[in-house]
Amino acid sequence: MTTLDTLGKQAKETTLLLQQATTEEKNAALLKIADVLIERQEEILVENEKDLVNAKDKGISDSVIDRIRLTEERIKQMADALRELTHLADPIGEVLEAFTRPNGLEIEKVAVPIGVVGMIYEARPNVTIDAASLCLKTGNAVILRGSSSAIYSNIALVSVIREALSLTSLPVNSVQLIEDTSRETAEKMFRLNDYLDVLIPRGSKNLIDTVVRKSSVPVLETGAGNCHMYIDHDADEKMAVELVINAKTQRPSVCNAIETVLIHQSWFDVHGKTLIHQLNSNGVLIHGDQKVKNENPAVLLATDEDYATEYLDLEIAMKVVQSTDEAIKHINYYGTKHSEAIISNTDTHVLAFLNDVDAACVYHNASTRFTDGFEFGFGAEIGISTQKLHARGPMGLKALTSTKYLLRGQGQYKK
Amino acid sequence: MTTLDTLGKQAKETTLLLQQATTEEKNAALLKIADVLIERQEEILVENEKDLVNAKDKGISDSVIDRIRLTEERIKQMADALRELTHLADPIGEVLEAFTRPNGLEIEKVAVPIGVVGMIYEARPNVTIDAASLCLKTGNAVILRGSSSAIYSNIALVSVIREALSLTSLPVNSVQLIEDTSRETAEKMFRLNDYLDVLIPRGSKNLIDTVVRKSSVPVLETGAGNCHMYIDHDADEKMAVELVINAKTQRPSVCNAIETVLIHQSWFDVHGKTLIHQLNSNGVLIHGDQKVKNENPAVLLATDEDYATEYLDLEIAMKVVQSTDEAIKHINYYGTKHSEAIISNTDTHVLAFLNDVDAACVYHNASTRFTDGFEFGFGAEIGISTQKLHARGPMGLKALTSTKYLLRGQGQYKK
């Protein structure tokens, strides 16, 4: 088995060629991977079956097994995504700024690849194709480290990618897989500063926290979403109910779904019953404060832990507040700086909420479910950043780029 | 002594007020700090004297003692810098992007403060004022950790800042100092993820490497500069000699000075003697390859270690190469991705060099000494980033900002 250092060196050796690759060459590689993926789908499904059998033997839950499972349909979706990616603009080489200094020095800031990306992720084998294709499109080499539960699938998929690359002008070692899924090797990967320019964890909060805590390689953190919706005193009843139901139930398992609804006392007094009824009809379990429980005894009494919990399920915390300010304080205390919304018709309240809530995405009169690279029109998504540096919120291809200053002179030197 | 957790909590509590502060309020605070600095300069100089006496007792080198030393002139310079900072544009609140989605959702990306900045630095007490003022201007709280060798000066300076803040609308705890300069407390600071949004080390390569290796808080790395100048076959003799001399000798102790000059064989054959002579006349010790040594026996034979060394002194490595490509390979192997230059009149060589050299700043026909926030026209400088994420090259006020998406709808929900 190839050592991590060898993988690192091999990745580093591809970066100049990848940086020089034209958009046409990169797109040709993506199309070739799509073709080989379809050609070799039977073999991929055979390997995936091994992972599924192992998972069942280990008693892994059905929902995780479903994430591991590949089907002809899912492979076709991967191939389609690869082909769609070729239609997106190539961010590399874009001149982001240009200015001339009084001494005549011309300065340009251009977008360049980051270099070598480390990607560490869990069950879903489709992340293998997804991560590799986004890195290739942006001229980055990638070293992939998936989970042991999808190792046969991942080996097959990376073999497909590398066969396809061998038929193009891009270096085969642009995409490499760490086949050793031991914890020790993962820990080494966290400290591979000589070769990795960035490490991107994708998966559970536990995985991300471990990477953030242990990695000396810079991390692009894609974090958890304890998202809130605040219904102000004068919110439209129909809009508020629709948005809460959408943000909670349309897909409860995702990070941009809401976990707590905060409601102004005067709105609650008039419309609280309706909202509770609608949530119940949609199968949502409510953890409410004493006022909510007084309204409906079936409500469970919310604890501090409820306000801090990302249920990712048909459960919601509900709290009555006296002001927009109280809502903002609650959100800034319990939130994870992901997506937060106010439903209101009072301009001063909306402005205070948009300015003072500390989160990647702050909404007025819309569902938090739009925090997503595709909904933002980026055409692709690396993940949703909840950190403050480099990129915040949905990350498209640009998040996989760095910059470089080019300075052109006529002999200028420092006086 | 206040614990690190308390400092963290207190800093966090100021972030909303700092974020809301207007440009006028922030500028008023900077001017007030400048005033109090001048008012209390005698007291500062008394405290600084304690640091100088301790440093002498410990046998600390004269050059470091000079960095610790404050004088009336240096305090005046700090006050002037504070006042100049008020003239710079406030990046906070700037709308960086604005677009409307087909569903009518209006999306704005605005610049916001990062939050709480941790600054860890060495001898120079002027960094205390510098870091605090740049953070205040960008609405960030800052926790400072200077070195034990300047502790009396730093305590005095932070007391000045906090007294000044108490006379303004900004919270006093916007600027706090860790008075305990033990290694244990520094290590705790590296893991203060609950309160610090970013950690910025300023000082020696050793300090920076330690912070990068040990910190789980995201780091803005300001790295070492092993910078090169490549003289191509057709470079103008006068320009090439002038630029090498300037980039090496104008201020050899800084990171954007060059450490190695690479020379095309045919240029070297004609002009090598002149360049060596000029370097010698400027007191520069040359470590050359065999070809250079053949030209002048006084030259020391360069080792691999020389090519990797940031001399920061009147010493230079010199190597003869056969092509621009060989120069690029050498730079990408030995360089620290800081500042690199080509002196050439051949467009294809210039283009290859600008594109293929992996560095924050790549120059054509100019001295590398311009890699600096002031020379770039930023009006201020946090440091020079040699990392790939968030900011690369000279960092002005914008490097101390994050972003936030504001989304305004009319009831849109995800279908």
Side-chain angles (χ1 to χ4, degrees):
Chain A
M1 206 174 291
T2 326
T3 71
L4 214 47
D5 272 323
T6 306
L7 293 180
K9 267 183 210 130
Q10 288 174 351
K12 208 81 190 166
E13 281 162 14
T14 68
T15 54
L16 185 54
L17 282 169
L18 279 173
Q19 193 263 113
Q20 292 169 332
T22 63
T23 305
E24 290 67 32
E25 289 176 302
K26 292 184 284 190
N27 285 342
L30 296 173
L31 293 175
K32 184 57 80 182
I33 296 170
D35 292 345
V36 180
L37 203 54
I38 299 297
E39 281 165 32
R40 289 176 57 183
Q41 63 176 322
E42 271 183 51
E43 173 197 340
I44 295 167
L45 293 175
V46 167
E47 295 303 304
N48 181 245
E49 186 58 32
K50 294 184 192 167
D51 286 327
L52 294 174
V53 169
N54 282 344
K56 277 172 207 155
D57 286 353
K58 285 188 190 148
I60 285 175
S61 74
D62 284 353
S63 70
V64 175
I65 288 181
D66 184 58
R67 279 184 232 155
I68 298 171
R69 176 171 291 116
L70 292 177
T71 60
E72 280 197 20
E73 180 55 28
R74 286 182 178 181
I75 292 175
K76 184 174 174 302
Q77 284 168 358
M78 290 183 204
D80 288 347
L82 280 158
R83 292 187 180 115
E84 270 166 40
L85 195 51
T86 64
H87 300 304
L88 290 190
D90 182 351
I92 301 304
E94 194 188 333
V95 178
L96 306 167
E97 289 171 35
F99 51 102
T100 304
R101 298 294 302 150
N103 64 4
L105 202 59
E106 293 164 47
I107 306 184
E108 267 186 0
K109 185 179 183 177
V110 299
V112 297
I114 293 178
V116 183
V117 174
M119 183 77 66
I120 182 161
Y121 52 102
E122 287 171 340
R124 298 180 190 272
N126 64 311
V127 175
T128 303
I129 295 290
D130 197 30
S133 60
L134 295 172
C135 286
L136 287 174
K137 177 81 187 192
T138 47
N140 291 294
V142 65
I143 297 179
L144 301 161
R145 198 276 193 187
S147 86
S148 58
S149 62
I151 186 67
Y152 288 104
S153 313
N154 286 337
I155 289 175
L157 290 169
V158 170
S159 150
V160 162
I161 295 170
R162 290 168 61 91
E163 182 197 331
L165 288 175
S166 75
L167 304 170
T168 73
S169 57
L170 299 193
V172 171
N173 284 332
S174 308
V175 179
Q176 299 180 99
L177 178 72
I178 300 176
E179 297 187 10
D180 167 8
T181 57
S182 70
R183 183 176 297 234
E184 293 69 40
T185 304
E187 304 249 335
K188 268 187 212 151
M189 188 185 188
F190 298 160
R191 317 199 79 78
L192 206 63
N193 295 57
D194 283 347
Y195 303 112
L196 293 181
D197 293 296
V198 62
L199 196 51
I200 307 179
R202 269 177 73 166
S204 68
K205 183 168 165 27
N206 187 33
L207 170 74
I208 294 166
D209 285 351
T210 303
V211 174
V212 167
R213 213 172 55 246
K214 297 195 169 175
S215 175
S216 51
V217 174
V219 176
L220 266 190
E221 187 175 348
T222 58
N226 185 17
C227 306
H228 302 72
M229 192 166 274
Y230 165 58
I231 305 177
D232 199 9
H233 71 105
D234 61 352
D236 178 74
E237 182 187 276
K238 181 169 170 289
M239 186 192 289
V241 171
E242 250 173 23
L243 294 181
V244 169
I245 297 295
N246 182 258
K248 178 71 257 180
T249 71
Q250 201 253 354
R251 202 172 162 202
S253 65
V254 293
C255 59
N256 60 18
I258 59 168
E259 309 296 350
T260 294
V261 57
L262 301 166
I263 308 173
H264 191 281
Q265 178 81 58
S266 40
W267 194 93
F268 184 79
D269 291 343
V270 183
H271 314 283
K273 206 182 285 278
T274 311
L275 179 63
I276 291 169
H277 174 72
Q278 285 295 323
L279 282 166
N280 282 337
S281 324
N282 279 274
V284 180
L285 182 66
I286 302 174
H287 303 258
D289 67 3
Q290 194 57 56
K291 285 175 182 159
V292 179
K293 196 171 167 57
N294 292 346
E295 186 64 47
N296 186 327
V299 162
L300 300 172
L301 198 62
T303 61
D304 256 18
E305 210 190 312
D306 281 304
Y307 297 134
T309 298
E310 193 184 5
Y311 297 113
L312 296 172
D313 209 337
L314 289 175
E315 278 184 72
I316 198 165
M318 187 181 288
K319 185 178 160 71
V320 176
V321 297
Q322 303 308 313
S323 65
T324 304
D325 197 47
E326 189 185 339
I328 294 170
K329 284 213 175 76
H330 179 100
I331 291 169
N332 283 342
Y333 185 80
Y334 289 102
T336 54
K337 305 189 198 305
H338 192 296
S339 300
E340 309 294 349
I342 180 173
I343 319 302
S344 171
N345 289 309
T346 306
D347 287 350
T348 51
H349 295 185
V350 173
L351 201 63
F353 193 90
L354 292 179
N355 283 338
D356 297 348
V357 167
D358 185 14
C361 299
V362 190
Y363 291 82
H364 172 223
N365 288 354
S367 167
T368 54
R369 291 279 293 109
F370 293 111
T371 300
D372 172 309
F374 298 93
E375 292 293 343
F376 270 59
F378 296 164
E381 183 185 279
I382 323 298
I384 295 164
S385 161
T386 53
Q387 65 177 24
K388 299 282 189 86
L389 298 187
H390 189 66
R392 199 174 187 206
M395 296 188 288
L397 293 175
K398 274 193 184 172
L400 284 178
T401 68
S402 181
T403 60
K404 176 174 169 177
Y405 285 108
L406 304 181
L407 302 98
R408 294 177 175 91
Q410 303 81 33
Q412 284 87 340
Y413 55 84
K414 180 129 170 178
K415 301 281 157 61
Chain B
M1 206 172 293
T2 325
T3 70
L4 214 47
D5 273 324
T6 306
L7 293 180
K9 268 182 209 131
Q10 288 175 352
K12 208 80 188 168
E13 281 162 14
T14 69
T15 55
L16 185 54
L17 282 169
L18 279 173
Q19 193 264 112
Q20 292 170 332
T22 63
T23 304
E24 292 66 33
E25 288 175 303
K26 292 185 284 190
N27 285 342
L30 296 174
L31 292 175
K32 184 56 79 181
I33 296 170
D35 292 345
V36 180
L37 202 53
I38 299 298
E39 281 164 32
R40 289 175 57 182
Q41 63 175 321
E42 271 182 53
E43 173 196 340
I44 296 167
L45 293 175
V46 167
E47 296 303 305
N48 181 245
E49 186 58 32
K50 293 183 193 168
D51 286 327
L52 294 174
V53 169
N54 282 344
K56 278 173 206 153
D57 285 352
K58 284 186 192 152
I60 285 175
S61 74
D62 284 352
S63 71
V64 175
I65 288 181
D66 184 58
R67 278 185 234 153
I68 298 171
R69 178 171 289 118
L70 293 176
T71 60
E72 281 197 18
E73 180 55 29
R74 286 181 177 181
I75 292 175
K76 185 177 173 300
Q77 284 168 359
M78 290 184 204
D80 289 346
L82 280 158
R83 293 187 180 115
E84 271 166 39
L85 195 51
T86 64
H87 300 305
L88 290 189
D90 182 351
I92 301 303
E94 194 188 333
V95 177
L96 306 168
E97 288 172 34
F99 51 102
T100 304
R101 298 294 302 150
N103 63 2
L105 203 58
E106 294 164 46
I107 306 184
E108 266 186 1
K109 184 178 183 177
V110 299
V112 297
I114 292 178
V116 183
V117 174
M119 182 77 66
I120 181 160
Y121 52 102
E122 288 173 337
R124 297 179 192 274
N126 63 310
V127 176
T128 304
I129 295 291
D130 197 31
S133 59
L134 295 172
C135 286
L136 286 174
K137 178 81 187 193
T138 46
N140 291 294
V142 65
I143 297 179
L144 300 161
R145 198 277 194 186
S147 86
S148 59
S149 62
I151 187 68
Y152 288 103
S153 313
N154 286 337
I155 289 175
L157 290 169
V158 171
S159 149
V160 161
I161 296 169
R162 291 168 61 92
E163 182 197 332
L165 288 175
S166 76
L167 304 169
T168 73
S169 57
L170 299 193
V172 171
N173 285 332
S174 309
V175 179
Q176 299 180 100
L177 178 71
I178 300 177
E179 298 188 10
D180 167 7
T181 57
S182 70
R183 183 176 298 232
E184 293 68 41
T185 304
E187 304 249 335
K188 269 187 211 151
M189 188 184 188
F190 298 160
R191 316 198 79 77
L192 206 63
N193 295 55
D194 283 347
Y195 303 112
L196 293 182
D197 293 294
V198 61
L199 196 52
I200 307 179
R202 270 177 72 167
S204 67
K205 182 166 165 29
N206 187 34
L207 171 73
I208 295 164
D209 285 350
T210 303
V211 174
V212 167
R213 212 172 56 247
K214 297 194 169 178
S215 176
S216 51
V217 174
V219 176
L220 264 190
E221 186 176 349
T222 58
N226 185 16
C227 306
H228 302 72
M229 192 165 275
Y230 165 58
I231 305 177
D232 198 8
H233 71 106
D234 61 353
D236 178 74
E237 180 187 277
K238 181 169 170 287
M239 186 192 287
V241 172
E242 250 173 24
L243 293 182
V244 169
I245 297 294
N246 181 258
K248 179 69 256 183
T249 71
Q250 202 253 353
R251 203 172 161 202
S253 65
V254 293
C255 58
N256 60 18
I258 60 167
E259 308 296 350
T260 295
V261 57
L262 301 166
I263 308 173
H264 191 280
Q265 177 82 58
S266 40
W267 194 93
F268 183 78
D269 291 343
V270 183
H271 313 284
K273 206 182 284 280
T274 310
L275 178 63
I276 292 171
H277 175 72
Q278 285 295 323
L279 281 166
N280 282 336
S281 322
N282 279 274
V284 179
L285 182 67
I286 302 173
H287 303 258
D289 67 3
Q290 193 57 55
K291 284 175 183 159
V292 178
K293 195 170 168 59
N294 292 346
E295 186 65 48
N296 185 326
V299 162
L300 299 173
L301 197 62
T303 62
D304 256 18
E305 210 191 313
D306 281 304
Y307 296 133
T309 298
E310 193 183 4
Y311 296 115
L312 296 172
D313 208 337
L314 289 175
E315 278 184 73
I316 199 164
M318 187 181 288
K319 185 178 159 71
V320 176
V321 297
Q322 302 309 313
S323 65
T324 304
D325 197 47
E326 188 184 340
I328 294 170
K329 285 213 174 77
H330 179 101
I331 292 169
N332 283 342
Y333 185 81
Y334 289 103
T336 54
K337 305 189 197 306
H338 192 294
S339 299
E340 309 293 350
I342 179 173
I343 319 302
S344 172
N345 290 308
T346 306
D347 287 350
T348 52
H349 295 184
V350 173
L351 201 63
F353 192 91
L354 292 179
N355 283 337
D356 297 348
V357 166
D358 184 13
C361 299
V362 190
Y363 290 81
H364 172 222
N365 288 354
S367 168
T368 54
R369 292 278 293 109
F370 294 110
T371 300
D372 171 312
F374 299 94
E375 293 293 343
F376 271 58
F378 296 164
E381 183 184 277
I382 323 297
I384 295 164
S385 160
T386 53
Q387 66 178 23
K388 299 281 189 89
L389 297 187
H390 188 67
R392 197 176 187 206
M395 297 188 287
L397 293 176
K398 274 193 184 171
L400 284 178
T401 68
S402 181
T403 60
K404 175 175 170 177
Y405 285 107
L406 304 181
L407 301 98
R408 295 178 175 89
Q410 303 82 34
Q412 284 87 339
Y413 55 84
K414 180 129 169 178
K415 301 280 156 60

